[in-house]
Amino acid sequence: MLDLDGVIWVGGTPVPGAAEAVERLQQLDAPVAFVTNMSALTVADQEAKLASCGIDATGSVITSATAAGQLIHPGERVLVVGGPGIDEAVELAGAEVCSSGPADAVIVGMDPGFNYDTLSRAMRAVRGGARLIGTNHDPSYPTERGLEPGGGSLLAAVATAAETEPTMAGKPNQPIVDCVRSRIGESGVVVGDRPDSDGLFAEALGYGFALVLSGVTGPDDLPVTPEPQHCAPDLAALVDQMEFE
């Protein structure tokens, strides 16, 4: 299970050697999947972004929006705070995307246009009885400019204003665990740059955890909890290390 932000790319810049490392993994007799907490993009857009890096990920991408869609029921009205990826998941669940008014659920993910009006509409819907669902808890994500606020930061604002606890969908929570286990099976390795999401995700799955230092976590942050079974500067070095071992 390969994370995307901080493993395959940082912002719009591919991590050197990542595409070649993925190709080596795909040549092994084991499935390779790309599992991301980034909910803004549709699955097809994530596949296209991977293709632009030289990686064939057709049918192999699982997002936190995909997991959030498992928590929605057909016919519901869902207020979306986020991007097209969440809209897609809601519509696939047979529900209606709305931007205001009464709602059965509010899903919060990455939304670069988030502002006070967005916060107010989401808060009122939750206080009016809507379930609050978070695509992920990640407070930040890596870009070329450094760390930027993640979907978890926006979710925290809505949860605080609504005075409620959200149901979580993405890594390391049960909805995305179920998505992965149904596709991959009972054993595997999670590769990521965040112990608090990727590492705990590996624990929830009962998989191994491999940490790369090309994203949020750097050498100065070590040691981390949970402790990874493998740790390397980037994906290419990690694949070298695991093949050697």
Side-chain angles (χ1 to χ4, degrees):
M1 307 300 100
L2 303 179
D3 187 23
L4 295 179
D5 291 288
V7 177
I8 304 299
W9 51 60
V10 174
T13 304
V15 174
E20 293 78 9
V22 171
E23 184 176 6
R24 289 161 63 188
L25 290 172
Q26 290 174 331
Q27 291 171 351
L28 302 175
D29 187 22
V32 176
F34 303 87
V35 186
T36 178
N37 266 351
M38 177 58 73
S39 62
L41 299 180
T42 66
V43 169
D45 286 341
Q46 293 281 21
E47 290 177 353
K49 186 174 179 181
L50 283 158
S52 72
C53 297
I55 297 170
D56 180 8
T58 305
S60 301
V61 173
I62 301 170
T63 75
S64 61
T66 304
Q70 310 304 305
L71 302 174
I72 299 301
H73 308 297
E76 288 190 315
R77 281 174 52 86
V78 181
L79 194 158
V80 171
V81 178
I86 303 178
D87 292 344
E88 174 184 66
V90 169
E91 290 165 357
L92 286 173
E96 175 190 353
V97 175
C98 64
S99 58
S100 63
D104 299 294
V106 174
I107 300 181
V108 181
M110 171 53 63
D111 182 3
F114 187 86
N115 57 27
Y116 193 80
D117 177 64
T118 308
L119 175 60
S120 297
R121 287 185 284 109
M123 178 200 74
R124 286 195 293 269
V126 175
R127 286 183 176 272
R131 309 187 308 279
L132 178 59
I133 298 170
T135 61
N136 70 89
H137 71 273
D138 295 344
S140 61
Y141 69 100
T143 75
E144 299 94 335
R145 301 180 299 276
L147 294 182
E148 295 284 353
S153 296
L154 311 187
L155 175 64
V158 175
T160 298
E163 298 183 90
T164 192
E165 289 294 322
T167 299
M168 302 303 300
K171 297 183 289 187
N173 300 283
Q174 197 62 45
I176 201 164
V177 167
D178 293 340
C179 287
V180 167
R181 196 179 296 284
S182 66
R183 296 196 197 186
I184 304 302
E186 297 300 316
S187 63
V189 176
V190 172
V191 179
D193 68 321
R194 294 195 71 110
D196 60 345
S197 56
D198 301 303
L200 293 177
F201 181 49
E203 285 191 348
L205 282 162
Y207 288 9
F209 173 41
L211 176 68
V212 294
L213 306 178
S214 49
V216 169
T217 304
D220 293 342
D221 299 313
L222 300 176
V224 297
T225 302
E227 183 179 356
Q229 285 75 51
H230 301 273
C231 183
D234 54 34
L235 184 59
L238 177 69
V239 173
D240 284 342
Q241 178 188 120
M242 294 177 72
E243 285 186 343
F244 180 77
E245 293 178 354

